[in-house]
Amino acid sequence: MRYLLLFIVAFQSHAQISDFDHINFSKADQMALLCKNEGLDNMPELVYNLTSNLDTDIERFRAIYMWVCHNIANDYTLYLKNKRKRNKFKNDTIKLKAWNDRFKKEVFRKLLKQEKTICTGYAYIVQELSKLANLDCKIIHGYGRTSMTNIDELDPPNHSWNAIRLDEKWYLCDPTWASGIPDPETNIFRFEYNDGYFLSNPKLFIINHFPQDQKWTLLENEAHSFDEFLAAPILYGQAYTNLTEHNTPKQMHHSLHKNEKVKFEYQLQKNIDVDSVSFLIDNGYSNKKTSPNSISIEKQLLILEHQFDSNGFYDVHLYIGEDLISTYTFKVKG
């Protein structure tokens, strides 16, 4: 019974960065910066240097996470190689297992020697460094969706991230997507840290992260299906710096009648100017930025309504300022 109670407490929903608004992360971030030139050849020493002058577990984890996100590069070429091989061998369990065994060795060799890796390497090194700091950190395997993901090929799972236990609650973070952006055309990676993936709100995280073990959604009493995940809108990195929740639309693709109202609803992280909200609408021939037909913000709840006055097929991209937030499609008929 005691274990069950601890489990229930630990998996409270909505565990997110706002729980630590009273913490100033500047010291932890500075420690990560000071250790920038240290490698992974002596991980206990690295962790000691990162965390020994910090007072709380959240600061110690922050320093570790920031060091990983600013020093480990995403090897997109390695990711594509693994994707090709796994697709090639997906119907041959013996060859697939042999490839996976070889690939694991290559992933960790590149991680330790070149400080380059893919998502499993990011999640692994965050976990291992956290363990050395006496922090309870897990690797979560599952599915990730970006604008480049072909949902028809989401088998087997394609992404990994972390859960960290702090003050008897579990929190989610994605060091891979936080670290930067690999160019899919050149495969060249550039560090571009996104703080939105650090202790993200599970209600936002679930839209483009689906764990194999559903307890790691951290959403108590909420059932989420894989089909719902596949049907969800596309979220971009800047959604995590602007939103805490994406409420509606629940799906990416929609059919509606001409002049039928569509509602969009989001919980914002901070106050914004209503004039900064816009849609980029592409009809297949041209695209233009336009304001929604109506915009309201109350207690950081952003509600938009829009109507399409012509038949057609539209890609609709939501912007807040210059930040691309999400994408939907609408098939409009009379």
Side-chain angles (χ1 to χ4, degrees), residues 266-272 297-302:
Y266 315 90
Q267 192 66 47
L268 299 167
Q269 288 192 25
K270 57 197 173 191
N271 294 324
I272 63 169
I297 302 176
E298 185 175 349
K299 295 182 179 179
Q300 296 183 347
L301 181 65
L302 172 64

Side-chain angles (χ1 to χ4, degrees), residues 40-58:
L40 293 170
D41 52 319
N42 189 336
M43 288 193 285
E45 181 179 2
L46 171 61
V47 170
Y48 177 82
N49 291 337
L50 283 168
T51 65
S52 60
N53 291 323
L54 300 174
D55 299 324
T56 63
D57 282 348
I58 177 59

Side-chain angles (χ1 to χ4, degrees), residues 18-35:
S18 59
D19 291 345
F20 299 99
D21 282 347
H22 61 289
I23 299 289
N24 185 336
F25 290 123
S26 59
K27 188 176 180 182
D29 294 350
Q30 182 65 21
M31 295 310 300
L33 182 62
L34 289 173
C35 294

Side-chain angles (χ1 to χ4, degrees), residues 302-315:
L302 172 64
I303 300 176
L304 315 174
E305 288 187 342
H306 198 69
Q307 296 168 271
F308 297 88
D309 57 13
S310 299
N311 293 349
F313 188 87
Y314 301 93
D315 289 331

